[in-house]
Every structure is written in structure tokens, then in C-alpha cells.
């Protein structure tokens, strides 16, 4: 079984690009001919201070918090350090003690209809509510449930926050998180119907921004709409850096997976562009990977870098940042050591939680799968 704690980095094995905004050009992303060398990192900020992120040379597995999870997907931290984890296929939420790993079932979420990549997906918590992104009989939707926070408490009945997100057997998106502005963000997929990504009237293939009650957030780029950015294929990773910039990871089709810097009202190109295309009107990714090396789901920000969990790639990517740009070469860690990796969550300082995904019907589960691992950024 592939479970030794090994820390290793890969250099130069992945094609990477830098954000080029809406630059024009005629590069064909599908041909793989648009690679370029990393931009030289800036030597100083506007104030004259060094622009490099805090030094972090790698990551180590500090231990296993818990195991025996079935199709884990969403992960959220409660005040006090305990965790909530969702089961995509079993439709349940489980509380995990953040010190001992003891599991307490909180119940099944009504109305979830698992199929393919759909089911009970992302989780986040705020002010006594547990928010969940789920696949229902007619759509994907966001609901919230009251939760007292005690180990013996049960989830309250789900209340709709946002409905009408397109659903499919694949490309359901599913990540939700509260931003530094107090608004709720969601990454959605285009369900395989590629035209939805460019249709600003559709909620598919988007990053959405809304109030905690599900209304369009103040300052959104399109009137009376929760759409924040569009032209996405399947967003399953959302994270904010130390300066409040939003980053998103999304699955490519056959050629390039992407890490994007997400800004209000911008068009990220799908299906007209996959990876760095240099086409006018579309935002190029900050980094791109061959789909065999990534297939990214969750991301987190810690110690000056985005950490990105890879499913098909079975590795954890570190993308160092300097402001809104990539700083040097991304590196891969834990390659093949723990199988498919679904979710990564920052807990402050140099600590990360990492959720494996071997029991999602696409892995090769072994004894103890799936797990939540403790990581230490070094």
C-alpha cells in the first residue's frame, strides 16, 4: 500500500505560465506550444521591501488525524479546532475531534441525490450555521443548517441559500468559502454543457459571490446577479492570500488544468480557451499543468504559497506567490504517497489539513482509506 511518509519535490516536470491578464495573441493552448519561462520575480515592492514570500522549502506529514472516511469531500474547521467533513456519496456530515481524531456522526443531509461527481460536496461554517453545497434532484444548491457546535448536537433542517445551479453527472463544482469581505463564494461547473460557462445568465461555470442569505453581494460586477467571474470549466478550489486576493483552481479538459487569480467581472475563457491562450478578452492562468499531473480540487494559502491538492496527479502542489504573481517554480510534494488528494485546508501558521480521496469510485482504496492527514509546512 502506498503510504510511506515521503517528502519530495519535482522540478521542471510541468508546463507553467504566468498571468497575462487580457493580453492578445494567437497561441493555441491545445497544441502545447504556448509555454513560456517563468517571469523573473520582482526584487522589491513599491515600498522598497523584499517582495519574496516567507521561506518554505517543503511540507511534511506530521501524522494521521483520522481514517475510515467514505468519499470525503468538504472540510470545515469549527471554533476550537474540531473539523466537519462531508461524505459525497453517503450524504452525511461527521464531526472529527481536532486532537484525537474521534468521529461523531451529525446525521444525513436531506435532499441530497448523489450521482457521478455530484452529492454532498463543499462545507463552510459561520455564526452557528453549517453551509453545504449539494446536488439535489433538480439542481445543485447551497443550503445552511443550524448547528450548536457541541459534540452531541445534530444538524438542523436545511434552509435554501441559493438554488438553480446547473447539475450534471460531471462538472458540478462544489467548493464554498467565506471571503475576507464576509461574503459567501462558490465555485461551480458547467456540467459538460460548455456553453453555460460563457452565459452570464447561467450559474454554471462560474465563481459566485453572495451574502450569507444568498442575495447578490454588494459590489458584484453584474446588476442583480451573484455571478462574480465566468468562463470557468469546473472550479473546485477557492482560497484567499494574505492580501485578500481570490485564487481558484479548475479542471481542464484534456490539456491544461489551471490556477487563476480571480477578479470581479473577468472572463476566464472556457470553452474558447484552455490554459494560456493569449486571446483578447480572456484572462490567462497564473499557472497551468498537464491534466495527468494535477486534476486539482481543493486549495489553501499558507506561508506565502497556494497549496493545491491533485486527484489524478496524486500530489500536493506548492505555488509560491509574490503579490499577484507567481514567484519562481511550483513544486510537487507527496507524489503517489497517499493516492488521490481532494481537499486541503489551512489552519493558521504552518499547519494544513489534507483529505485523501481513494473511495470516490476512481481511486484504489486500501486499508484505512480515506484519511485526514496533518501537514507541517517547512
Amino acid at each position: 500500500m502506498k503510504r510511506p511518509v515521503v517528502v519530495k519535490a519535482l522540478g521542471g516536470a510541468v508546463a507553467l505560465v504566468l498571468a497575462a491578464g487580457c493580453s492578445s495573441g494567437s497561441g493555441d493552448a491545445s497544441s502545447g506550444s504556448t509555454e513560456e519561462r517563468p517571469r523573473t520575480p520582482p526584487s522589491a515592492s513599491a515600498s522598497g521591501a523584499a517582495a519574496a514570500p516567507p521561506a518554505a522549502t517543503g511540507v511534511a506529514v506530521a501524522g494521521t488525524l483520522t481514517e475510515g472516511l467514505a468519499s470525503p469531500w468538504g472540510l470545515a474547521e469549527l471554533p476550537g479546532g474540531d473539523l466537519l467533513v462531508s461524505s459525497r456519496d453517503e450524504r452525511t456530515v461527521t464531526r472529527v475531534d481536532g486532537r484525537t481524531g474521534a468521529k461523531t456522526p451529525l446525521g444525513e443531509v436531506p435532499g441530497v441525490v448523489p450521482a457521478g461527481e455530484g452529492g454532498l460536496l463543499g462545507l463552510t461554517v459561520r455564526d452557528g450555521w453549517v453551509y453545504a453545497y449539494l446536488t439535489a434532484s433538480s439542481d445543485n444548491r447551497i443550503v445552511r443548517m443550524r448547528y450548536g457546535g457541541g459534540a452531541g448536537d445534530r444538524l438542523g433542517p436545511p434552509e435554501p441559500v441559493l438554488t438553480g445551479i446547473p447539475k450534471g453527472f460531471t462538472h458540478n463544482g462544489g467548493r464554498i468559502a467565506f471571503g475576507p469581505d464576509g461574503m459567501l463564494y462558490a465555485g461551480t461547473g458547467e456540467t459538460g454543457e460548455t456553453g453555460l460557462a460563457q452565459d452570464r445568465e447561467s450559474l454554471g461555470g462560474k465563481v459566485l459571490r453572495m451574502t450569507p442569505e444568498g442575495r447578490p453581494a454588494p459590489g458584484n460586477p453584474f446588476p442583480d446577479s451573484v455571478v462574480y467571474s465566468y468562463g470557468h470549466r469546473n472550479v473546485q478550489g477557492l482560497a484567499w492570500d494574505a492580501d485578500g486576493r481570490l485564487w481558484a483552481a479548475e479542471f481542464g479538459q484534456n490539456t491544461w488544468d489551471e490556477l487563476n487569480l480571480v477578479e470581479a467581472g473577468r472572463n476566464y475563457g472556457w470553452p474558447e480557451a484552455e490554459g494560456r491562450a493569449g486571446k483578447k478578452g480572456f484572462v490567462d492562468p497564473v499557472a497551468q499543468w498537464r491534466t495527468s499531473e494535477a486534476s486539482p480540487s481543493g486549495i489553501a494559502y499558507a506561508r506565502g504559497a497556494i497549496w493545491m491538492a491533485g486527484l489524478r496527479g496524486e500530489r500536493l502542489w506548492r505555488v509560491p506567490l509574490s503579490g499577484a504573481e507567481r514567484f519562481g517554480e511550483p513544486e510537487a510534494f507527496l507524489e503517489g504517497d497517499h493516492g488521490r488528494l481532494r481537499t486541503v485546508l489551512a489552519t493558521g501558521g504552518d499547519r494544513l489539513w489534507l483529505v485523501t480521496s481513494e473511495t470516490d469510485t476512481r481511486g484504489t482504496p486500501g486499508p484505512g482509506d480515506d484519511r485526514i492527514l496533518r501537514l507541517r509546512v517547512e
Side-chain angles (χ1 to χ4, degrees):
M1 191 57 197
K2 48 189 175 185
R3 297 294 182 263
V5 179
V6 179
V7 181
K8 51 189 174 183
L10 301 179
V14 59
L16 299 157
V17 298
L18 294 169
C22 293
S23 61
S24 60
S26 58
D28 180 2
S30 64
S31 70
S33 62
T34 59
E35 302 173 27
E36 65 178 32
R37 291 182 297 173
R39 183 179 302 168
T40 302
S43 58
S45 65
S47 64
T57 59
V59 68
V61 177
T64 298
L65 175 64
T66 196
E67 57 184 23
L69 299 170
S71 59
W73 210 102
L75 190 70
E77 186 174 32
L78 293 166
D82 286 356
L83 303 172
L84 298 182
V85 59
S86 65
S87 169
R88 185 192 71 183
D89 298 337
E90 295 192 346
R91 303 170 287 185
T92 57
V93 177
T94 299
R95 181 177 180 135
V96 180
D97 189 293
R99 293 166 297 176
T100 69
K103 294 178 287 188
T104 304
L106 301 184
E108 183 177 304
V109 177
V112 181
V113 182
E117 295 175 1
L120 184 57
L121 304 176
L123 296 177
T124 191
V125 296
R126 180 183 172 92
D127 297 336
W129 294 97
V130 175
Y131 288 75
Y133 186 115
L134 60 86
T135 307
S137 60
S138 60
D139 59 2
N140 285 306
R141 57 182 55 192
I142 300 170
V143 303
R144 63 181 184 177
M145 299 160 282
R146 278 290 183 192
Y147 178 58
D153 292 341
R154 303 280 290 183
L155 295 172
E159 300 180 5
V161 173
L162 181 70
T163 61
I165 303 170
K167 63 172 281 189
F169 192 77
T170 59
H171 306 180
N172 289 288
R175 197 68 62 181
I176 54 175
F178 278 96
D181 56 2
M183 298 294 107
L184 178 63
Y185 292 73
T188 73
E190 35 78 301
T191 73
E193 187 176 338
T194 59
L196 297 183
Q198 290 294 321
D199 180 1
R200 296 207 306 249
E201 298 301 314
S202 171
L203 300 182
K206 308 294 189 295
V207 172
L208 310 177
R209 177 176 178 263
M210 67 203 80
T211 68
E213 298 75 30
R215 294 188 293 271
N220 275 6
F222 309 113
D224 301 317
S225 174
V226 296
V227 172
Y228 188 70
S229 64
Y230 64 108
H232 299 284
R233 184 171 181 267
N234 189 21
V235 177
Q236 288 190 9
L238 297 173
W240 288 263
D241 64 25
D243 295 317
R245 286 176 287 260
L246 174 59
W247 299 84
E250 69 179 272
F251 292 82
Q253 184 171 32
N254 298 315
T255 311
W256 300 117
D257 294 325
E258 300 179 0
L259 177 69
N260 286 296
L261 174 63
V262 176
E263 297 177 305
R266 305 297 292 275
N267 185 344
Y268 289 81
W270 181 254
E272 304 301 322
E274 180 183 0
R276 183 181 182 274
K279 293 184 177 180
K280 185 177 181 180
F282 299 146
V283 180
D284 282 342
V286 172
Q288 66 181 25
W289 294 260
R290 295 289 184 183
T291 55
S292 61
E293 295 170 321
S295 295
S297 188
I299 63 174
Y301 176 84
R303 294 284 301 274
I306 294 292
W307 299 85
M308 188 178 80
L311 290 164
R312 183 181 173 193
E314 297 189 356
R315 65 199 78 176
L316 182 69
W317 284 100
R318 173 182 175 265
V319 185
L321 302 176
S322 178
E325 298 181 359
R326 180 167 61 84
F327 189 91
E329 296 281 354
E331 295 176 286
F333 298 91
L334 310 178
E335 184 191 1
D337 296 340
H338 304 282
R340 294 162 58 82
L341 305 180
R342 171 67 68 181
T343 297
V344 58
L345 179 68
T347 63
D350 62 352
R351 302 292 172 168
L352 299 170
W353 296 115
L354 181 64
V355 181
T356 68
S357 191
E358 287 289 283
T359 59
D360 66 348
T361 75
R362 295 182 180 178
T364 307
D369 282 329
D370 271 304
R371 296 168 166 81
I372 300 176
L373 303 174
R374 296 185 182 95
L375 303 186
R376 182 179 66 253
V377 179
E378 299 179 327

